[in-house]
Amino acid sequence: MPKPPDRAQHLRLTVVVDNLVNIFLPSQGPLSYPQPGPCSSLLAEQGLSLWIEVDGAQGNATRVLYDFGRGAQVLGRNLRLLQIDPATAAYLVLSHGHIDHYGGLLPLLAERQIAAPLVAHPAAFGTRGIQRPDGSLAGPWRLEQARVEEALAGPPLISAEPRQLGPGLWTSGRIGRVSPLDRPFRAAVRQQGWQWVADDFEDDQAIFVNLEDRGLVVVTGCCHAGVFNTLARAQALFPGVPLYALVGGLHWNFLSDNELQDAIAELAGYDPQWLLAMHCTGALAQHRLRERFAERCPFNTVGLRCSW
Ligand SMILES: [Fe+2]
Ligand SMILES: [Fe+2]
């Protein structure tokens, strides 16, 4: 397991795909927002993709593309406009097997020569969907392991265990369910044989960065495993390291206002210095987080770059 001095010296994170784009936000401190110009053509979609760059003590950089948005058009365009070369990625990491996170993967691999392996949990593959309130199914979406393996330059790294990707940079591996505050996303289903069953999101994995002099940066995809379960996993892998930043989707869009208040009070106990809630967090949750954390919870947009 991670031990000092397994720490990153510096982290740069760029939002490549997210649900919102806004080119009229003022850059400040470690946050650099996209400005009018070429970035006026950035696109948003219901999806997520983050470019993560970590420097080690010798200045050696490790780059990771975490998730791939929903389809080819937005990911490819935004990578170009943000001048990110995905061929320099050491790893491609999939948070979980939902189409808004894997959709751009196969088109990207078809379009670009990318040697990086794909890191995923074995349960990321298969057929999933979302049950609508009227009983109909959104989807189904199918991620086939064989098709992914065919498209990759090398074999995928399929495991439920945490994996070190670079200095202080780890995947979470399987996230245990320990917190009663995390509410399951009951509308999600997956195919098991001929049956549709409740999706337990065994595959959901986060990225952890142990950042020198600051603490832990926890990066989530949709956070279907639950944010408090994810934070507990981070604490178990990095005991005693405080939470510095929480970045990604929290999937709080289905929580009631009361449930949100409880969750936000719990999150405040971790005293994060930065909270970048994106993608599936939900509009009311974003609003309540901003009320509670003020400037520690800055606005998010496609094209935002954080440098810590
Ligand atoms: Fe998502
Ligand atoms: Fe999801």
Side-chain angles (χ1 to χ4, degrees):
M1 281 306 104
K3 287 186 193 72
D6 171 35
R7 285 190 287 263
Q9 301 301 307
H10 193 208
L11 166 67
R12 292 175 301 282
L13 185 143
T14 306
V15 181
V16 182
V17 178
D18 188 31
N19 296 42
L20 296 169
V21 62
N22 185 346
I23 54 161
F24 299 118
L25 293 164
S27 298
Q28 50 188 323
L31 306 179
S32 168
Y33 284 100
Q35 297 302 306
C39 284
S40 302
S41 303
L42 286 167
L43 294 178
E45 68 177 350
Q46 203 311 101
L48 188 71
S49 176
L50 303 172
W51 180 246
I52 298 168
E53 302 169 87
V54 151
D55 295 334
Q58 279 78 43
N60 46 318
T62 304
R63 300 182 179 91
V64 167
L65 187 59
Y66 180 55
D67 288 348
F68 313 95
R70 194 177 191 89
Q73 193 197 4
V74 177
L75 179 67
R77 181 192 187 92
N78 289 0
L79 283 170
R80 268 193 306 280
L81 288 168
L82 296 167
Q83 298 182 312
I84 292 169
D85 181 359
T88 63
Y91 295 93
L92 308 172
V93 180
L94 179 62
S95 68
H96 68 299
H98 268 172
I99 192 169
D100 51 324
H101 298 256
Y102 74 69
L105 174 64
L106 287 173
L108 179 71
L109 292 172
E111 194 181 296
R112 299 292 309 268
Q113 290 280 350
I114 297 178
L118 177 76
V119 181
H121 185 283
F125 302 97
T127 305
R128 327 274 278 252
I130 308 286
Q131 201 94 54
R132 296 192 189 97
D134 67 3
S136 65
L137 189 75
W141 307 287
R142 179 166 179 76
L143 181 61
E144 281 182 56
Q145 188 166 347
R147 280 195 67 199
V148 172
E149 285 183 17
E150 221 170 81
L152 285 166
L157 304 172
I158 307 295
S159 170
E161 296 301 314
R163 177 180 293 274
Q164 184 163 20
L165 308 178
L169 175 63
W170 289 73
T171 61
S172 64
R174 185 192 172 274
I175 295 167
R177 303 321 197 242
V178 295
S179 171
L181 267 176
D182 284 325
R183 294 172 196 280
F185 176 37
R186 294 197 192 283
V189 288
R190 65 180 304 145
Q191 216 167 26
Q192 208 170 68
W194 294 102
Q195 302 232 305
W196 285 98
V197 298
D199 197 334
D200 53 13
F201 290 106
E202 282 293 294
D203 53 330
D204 189 58
Q205 61 175 343
I207 284 186
F208 301 144
V209 184
N210 188 8
L211 200 51
E212 180 84 44
D213 295 332
R214 287 183 167 89
L216 264 189
V217 178
V218 172
V219 185
T220 62
C222 249
C223 215
H224 292 301
V227 64
F228 299 111
N229 291 327
T230 303
L231 293 174
R233 178 69 171 162
Q235 285 184 322
L237 291 180
F238 297 90
V241 182
L243 179 65
Y244 181 67
L246 176 61
V247 178
L250 301 184
H251 220 283
W252 281 355
N253 57 70
F254 62 97
L255 296 192
S256 69
D257 210 0
N258 280 341
E259 289 168 338
L260 274 176
Q261 301 291 1
D262 290 346
I264 287 169
E266 179 78 5
L267 191 54
Y270 286 84
D271 197 25
Q273 299 309 296
W274 294 99
L275 203 59
L276 273 167
M278 354 182 135
H279 180 48
C280 53
T281 300
L284 180 61
Q286 298 266 18
H287 179 68
R288 294 285 180 243
L289 284 165
R290 180 100 184 144
E291 279 180 336
R292 176 66 184 75
F293 293 97
E295 65 279 359
R296 286 194 283 159
C297 180
F299 294 111
N300 185 53
T301 170
V302 168
L304 169 62
R305 297 180 196 265
C306 312
S307 181
W308 290 315

